[in-house]
Amino acid sequence: MSQDSTTAPEAARKLSGRRRREIVAVLLFSGGPIFESSIPLSVFGIDRQDAGVPRYRLLVCAGEDVPLRTTGGLELTAPYGLEALSRAGTVVVPAWRSITQPPPAAALDALRRAHEEGARIVGLCTGAFVLAAAGLLDGRPATTHWMYAPTLAKRYPSVHVDPRELFVDDGDVLTSAGTAAGIDLCLHIVRTDHGADAAGALARRLVVPPRRSGGQERYLDRSLPEEIGADPLAEVVAWALEHLHEQFDVETLAARAYMSRRTFDRRFRSLTGSAPLQWLITQRVLQAQRLLETSDYSVDEVAGRCGFRSPVALRGHFRRQLGSSPAAYRAAYRARRPQSGPDRPERSERAERVERGERGDRFDRPDPVEHRSGEPSLMGMRRTAMAPAAHAVTGAPLGSPPPHVGHGGHLGHAPGHGGGHGMNPNDSGKSDTDLYAPRLPGQRERPVG
């Protein structure tokens, strides 16, 4: 799926009054993080026509009548106030200082008025909370920083929060994930307004990729929000984490919570921002990751100890989440760390044989499917462990785009349904082309219940 919005009828709505499409207003609040605040200022506020980037006119507006102090204690002076929003064709809210505080009423009124008059409204990172407080995200898909997505979903249940996306384009309202994802969304806006060449020229000036593949999924901290501790579901979640080695489905968890499946799905999603199936598969993959790092179990044995019905299921979900096969992940992980030491026992002869790629019993042999799909052999991984190609498998943070993503089901989705109705980790759905593509108009997926 393309990141470009070519089917967004709302994006072409007529602007009313004095609004001009080339004018971008950035709405700043006191206490906002300086990095997120600076992104739209840099993208839309600098004249780069010499590089082939069309010029926008930037209006920096104060969202409240107090000194604008950023993180680090810097004090800013905005040349415009809320009245300047009436001239903008695009209004960007780059951040909000606290997800627990309500934004100023005057700023919310100005955003509602701008939207009613045809302006495009953009929320970067925690700026999505301001858009949600204004009611602009009701009934819409949206995203924010993965860490705040559960809170956004719980506080504004009418918003369809997707913590996996880097950004979501819903035509006249757009939201992005945290920090650098704001750059992705701003580049998308330039691409929508002026085409791929203009966005590419701007990306070169900013020294960033024109389009990043992947989403927030591999950045997610899979722990649950603190507020679940007092919820009846906490006991069920704790039981699931203690029994990951067993095979159970959503109905099992719902029964332990004394809820119907439909009610359980809705309650779990409202607390965590994700579907039960999505969360459980991720926990199983994380457990597999730990075992691959700390044990000598074969991949087949790891699959069984993490509750996957087959090694094939483990390999598919592992590759989709971490961008690598389990065998290649283990080889690269161990190549970057001492093989023995006071905190690590000596490797077994079998484990050494597996990593060298020598044939042994059926558990020791590299999976032939992995070689057919282009994955380097374990012997090759060992010989080139310090080379950039091998380092790319796990040498960068888990959020780095993987060199290759295999084909298979979408994490946490059963075939033909956005949230999944089975708990079978073998379920498959969307192709990987769709896996991390931002949600565009006409492709909304509404949660059930």
Side-chain angles (χ1 to χ4, degrees), residues 36 115 131 172 186 252 293 361 378 438:
E36 284 84 349
H115 180 255
L131 273 59
D172 56 347
C186 289
T252 301
E293 294 173 356
D361 60 33
L378 295 181

Side-chain angles (χ1 to χ4, degrees), residues 25-38:
V26 177
L27 190 58
L28 299 181
F29 298 96
S30 184
I34 192 169
F35 185 89
E36 284 84 349
S37 301
S38 69

